[in-house]
Amino acid sequence: MGLIAPCLGFMIYKYKELQTFSYKEAIQYMMVQPGHNMLTVAISLSLLANAVLFTIYINSHIDNTAKGILLLLLFMH
């Protein structure tokens, strides 16, 4: 779950902002746009998706899964 949520966050951002590009082209485009901070926004939204998932699991008292999501969140940041 901790790996799927960031991927979904990135997919949503790519779909909304860079519809005409493939995923590889979108990443390359974001890396060469220094003034737009697109890559920073994409990564932040991906981590935010993971944080939302973590909050849901903590509030549902599913602690072991929440710990795994938190570990992935820390390693991805």
Side-chain angles (χ1 to χ4, degrees):
M1 294 303 268
L3 291 174
I4 294 171
C7 292
L8 287 175
F10 178 77
M11 288 170 52
I12 291 169
Y13 178 75
K14 187 259 181 215
Y15 175 74
K16 296 290 264 178
E17 296 294 324
L18 303 168
Q19 294 177 3
T20 59
F21 295 107
S22 70
Y23 285 102
K24 182 179 178 182
E25 292 170 340
I27 292 171
Q28 290 173 344
Y29 179 76
M30 287 188 284
M31 292 179 81
V32 298
Q33 295 297 321
H36 295 283
N37 296 326
M38 295 180 85
L39 188 59
T40 303
V41 172
I43 292 170
S44 297
L45 289 175
S46 295
L47 292 175
L48 180 64
N50 220 7
V52 168
L53 188 64
F54 173 75
T55 303
I56 290 169
Y57 276 95
I58 282 291
N59 289 337
S60 300
H61 303 289
I62 306 173
D63 295 335
N64 286 335
T65 304
K67 289 177 189 176
I69 292 169
L70 178 63
L71 286 174
L72 283 170
L73 184 64
L74 293 174
F75 284 119
M76 293 174 87
H77 188 265

